[in-house]
Amino acid sequence: MNRRNFGGLLAAGALLFSTIAAVMPVPALAQAGKTIVGGFDVGPGGFQGNFNPLTATAGFTWLNTYFEPLVIYTSDLSKLTGALASEFAVGQDNLTYTFKLVDTKWHDGKPFTSADVKFTLELAKNAESGSIFAARLAGITSVETPDERTAVVKLSKPNSAFLSVLSQVMILPQHTLSSVPLKEVAKSQWWSTKPVGTGPFKFVKYVSDQYVEMAAYEGYRGGKPKADRLINRYFANPAAAVAALRAGEIQFTFAEPDDAKTFSGNDSFRVIEGDSYVVNYIGFNHRAKIWDDLRVRQAVMYAIDRNAIVSSLFGGAAKLANCGYVAPQLLPKDLTGYAYDPQKAKDLLAEAGWDKINGDKSIPWLTYYNTPQVANVMAAVQAMLAQVGINVVPRALDVPSYNGIVRSEKWQDFPMIYAGLQNGPNPASLNIGLNAAQIPPSGNNIMRVEMPALTEALDTAMAETDPAKADVKWQQVCKEMNAGLPWGPMWVASRYGVASSNLKDFFWTPAPAGGPFISHPEKWDIAP
């Protein structure tokens, strides 16, 4: 396929997806005071409709306005600092973590104590609660509470990702949530009707599929928030949210690159750009059998003109990935580049006997990305794969439906996916999607990857707590991914947000999963 045909394939393939750009009704806001309205869960960093942080694969930008973790990333995502922990220390054995806790109260006035930390971590490590953190926290052997302001966590073995994982574990109130039976926690109405947190805003109500409303928590330890209300609007897609932003109905949203560019030079808005820290990949379900032969997986890589897609559909705002990373310090020398070569793809498929393995049978290709850009990307890839004899059929789902399918055991429903997984700021983030010990329900290895050499490389890197030595260990993970192709790594794209210039002291960055990171929602303000 030549470059001249590429544009035609995009145009034809894009017709496979129709995106409804209807804007949700504007919530009636009769309350007095300052109200900030945003599409805080729009885009790949959001998780519309999810209120349970134990099951959150994204959406932490919004969750962190009312829940808080023990530790949190700084605003530039460069390091971890205290949140509900005023300070923390790691013992010389690299197994003991001591957290000194802040003096604060829950939204209902009850004191926050170390008992809440113990309750949360024990709940989060128990798979019966539906927690996606169960496998990542399985190394916790005990949580001790020597006093109300101190929690001591002990691990069975060193884990370089432990604190990074804790940054997404929102601390929960023992006094109210403990009454919910363990097996009912995941689907409890508590999350969307009466959650209690410690953050600067407290829950008011959720209007199904339309918006969530928060009110300023006057007892917040950082002082009463400047805004009286926060509203998180739900949208069918980013285009609908951008339309609402232009109309003045909201003050912030994630935006696709093409939409973000249209705000350039407009003093009424501020465009925010940053690294997504997410590697997009084509996932091969290793239980589906059709991908067992490495040559088939290699053929998929050679069949896709990734440079053309990055140039045409990402406007150059993405970096090609040949393993799970693009950060220079994590890339070893002599990685296979998988440059576009459709003839080589055809030859590899012929050698592997693709006609007998699957031939021209259609392959469902699932994604949770409901954006025009991803629709065009998948249409282009579909056309390119068709050129070499692989017939994939893209299907975009809402996040809850997608998660329900890929965490099930029905391999025929998701032999192939297009997804993204956090690959930083801590490189250990990839462990949950590739380690054999992280296969659902224990973790998020939804492609059921079971490659001994890769798992060994991951375990070795996870156990390395010396930063000076860690990069070399993660380079070995990269080598194994590049050679074995547990996934088809595609690219790491930039992401964009657009904020109204009426917003004051508002901070957002395109962090993976939406963060969390220090954004100080209590300081957000809006001009009259």
Side-chain angles (χ1 to χ4, degrees):
M1 181 177 63
N2 59 38
R3 295 300 175 91
R4 180 177 298 174
N5 292 334
F6 179 71
L9 286 169
L10 286 183
L15 294 177
L16 294 170
F17 295 82
S18 60
T19 304
I20 301 174
V23 179
M24 289 288 187
V26 179
L29 302 174
Q31 301 88 356
K34 297 179 178 180
T35 299
I36 294 175
V37 187
F40 296 103
D41 270 331
V42 173
F47 195 163
Q48 291 185 166
N50 179 67
F51 298 88
N52 180 354
L54 295 177
T55 60
T57 53
F60 287 101
T61 293
W62 180 251
L63 288 170
N64 200 218
T65 64
Y66 62 112
F67 287 124
E68 295 178 288
L70 283 173
V71 296
I72 193 168
Y73 273 99
T74 54
S75 58
D76 62 359
L77 306 181
S78 65
K79 64 179 181 179
L80 287 160
T81 188
L84 283 175
S86 58
E87 57 183 273
F88 55 94
V90 184
Q92 291 186 348
D93 59 1
N94 286 317
L95 301 174
T96 305
Y97 291 73
T98 302
F99 301 91
K100 294 295 183 180
L101 308 179
V102 299
D103 183 6
T104 195
K105 287 184 170 67
W106 294 98
H107 293 154
D108 60 6
K110 300 292 184 181
F112 160 69
T113 73
S114 57
D116 297 306
V117 175
K118 180 179 176 66
F119 167 75
T120 300
L121 294 182
E122 290 179 348
L123 186 66
K125 68 173 287 193
N126 192 328
E128 289 190 37
S129 71
S131 169
I132 64 168
F133 298 100
R136 281 176 274 178
L137 298 177
I140 295 177
T141 58
S142 68
V143 182
E144 300 171 1
T145 56
D147 59 61
E148 290 190 345
R149 300 264 72 81
T150 307
V152 180
V153 182
K154 294 187 177 181
L155 307 182
S156 59
K157 59 182 180 181
N159 181 349
S160 62
F162 181 63
L163 286 174
S164 185
V165 171
L166 286 189
S167 73
Q168 292 187 335
V169 178
M170 299 293 155
I171 302 302
L172 304 169
Q174 180 188 38
H175 67 276
T176 178
L177 190 55
S178 60
S179 61
V180 179
L182 181 63
K183 293 185 177 181
E184 296 177 17
V185 166
K187 298 182 179 180
S188 172
Q189 294 298 307
W190 183 89
W191 303 104
S192 60
T193 58
K194 52 184 179 182
V196 177
T198 57
F201 289 86
K202 57 184 181 181
F203 190 89
V204 174
K205 64 180 177 181
Y206 163 52
V207 177
S208 183
D209 298 326
Q210 292 189 43
Y211 67 93
V212 186
E213 181 178 345
M214 297 283 171
Y217 174 40
E218 295 187 8
Y220 184 59
R221 65 186 181 279
K224 181 182 180 297
K226 291 182 179 180
D228 297 286
R229 301 261 167 180
L230 288 186
I231 300 288
N232 186 15
R233 285 270 307 276
Y234 287 178
F235 294 90
N237 49 58
V242 167
L245 180 67
R246 291 188 189 280
E249 297 171 7
I250 64 176
Q251 287 84 49
F252 168 77
T253 185
F254 162 88
E256 295 290 351
D258 287 345
D259 284 329
K261 290 175 183 176
T262 65
F263 289 93
S264 179
N266 188 333
D267 293 339
S268 296
F269 300 95
R270 176 168 62 96
V271 177
I272 306 164
E273 178 183 0
D275 192 329
S276 67
Y277 285 104
V278 170
V279 58
N280 289 123
Y281 65 93
I282 291 175
F284 307 114
N285 189 327
H286 288 248
R287 301 275 173 89
K289 300 301 181 185
I290 60 174
W291 313 112
D292 282 357
D293 195 311
L294 174 59
R295 290 171 294 187
V296 172
R297 304 195 298 276
Q298 290 173 331
V300 170
M301 292 296 293
Y302 285 115
I304 301 171
D305 191 344
R306 294 183 295 158
N307 277 316
I309 290 174
V310 166
S311 175
S312 299
L313 298 178
F314 287 92
K319 301 174 184 176
L320 294 190
N322 290 311
C323 68
Y325 306 104
V326 295
Q329 73 274 17
L330 304 178
L331 301 180
K333 297 179 180 179
D334 303 323
L335 290 178
T336 299
Y338 296 106
Y340 179 53
D341 191 339
Q343 186 57 53
K344 187 166 186 175
K346 291 178 181 179
D347 293 342
L348 286 165
L349 289 172
E351 291 173 16
W354 181 247
D355 285 346
K356 293 181 180 179
I357 293 172
N358 192 75
D360 61 0
K361 295 178 184 175
S362 62
I363 301 169
W365 188 21
L366 272 58
T367 189
Y368 52 86
Y369 290 123
N370 283 284
T371 69
Q373 182 189 51
V374 171
N376 288 334
V377 167
M378 293 182 73
V381 172
Q382 178 189 29
M384 293 170 183
L385 291 178
Q387 293 285 322
V388 303
I390 300 175
N391 178 20
V392 301
V393 181
R395 181 186 174 199
L397 301 170
D398 60 85
V399 174
S401 298
Y402 171 87
N403 283 340
I405 290 173
V406 300
R407 295 184 70 81
S408 75
E409 300 298 315
K410 297 180 180 178
W411 322 125
Q412 67 276 12
D413 291 343
F414 61 107
M416 185 173 173
I417 65 172
Y418 178 71
L421 188 63
Q422 181 175 343
N423 69 349
N426 187 322
S429 302
L430 281 189
N431 184 66
I432 66 168
L434 291 164
N435 197 309
Q438 299 281 345
I439 291 174
S442 297
N444 209 39
N445 181 352
I446 55 177
M447 291 294 92
R448 278 66 176 180
V449 176
E450 295 184 83
M451 295 182 170
L454 177 57
T455 293
E456 181 180 358
L458 285 162
D459 287 343
T460 300
M462 291 286 289
E464 182 56 73
T465 57
D466 184 346
K469 300 177 181 178
D471 287 352
V472 174
K473 305 291 175 61
W474 289 110
Q475 285 186 16
Q476 185 59 37
V477 171
C478 183
K479 286 181 182 179
E480 296 294 341
M481 290 189 71
N482 180 256
L485 291 179
W487 302 333
M490 294 287 106
W491 38 69
V492 174
S494 296
R495 287 184 182 167
Y496 300 84
V498 183
S500 166
S501 58
N502 289 335
L503 280 182
K504 307 300 180 184
D505 297 318
F506 173 79
F507 183 85
W508 178 86
T509 192
F517 49 83
I518 295 175
S519 60
H520 291 297
E522 74 279 7
K523 296 182 180 180
W524 298 353
D525 201 358
I526 185 168

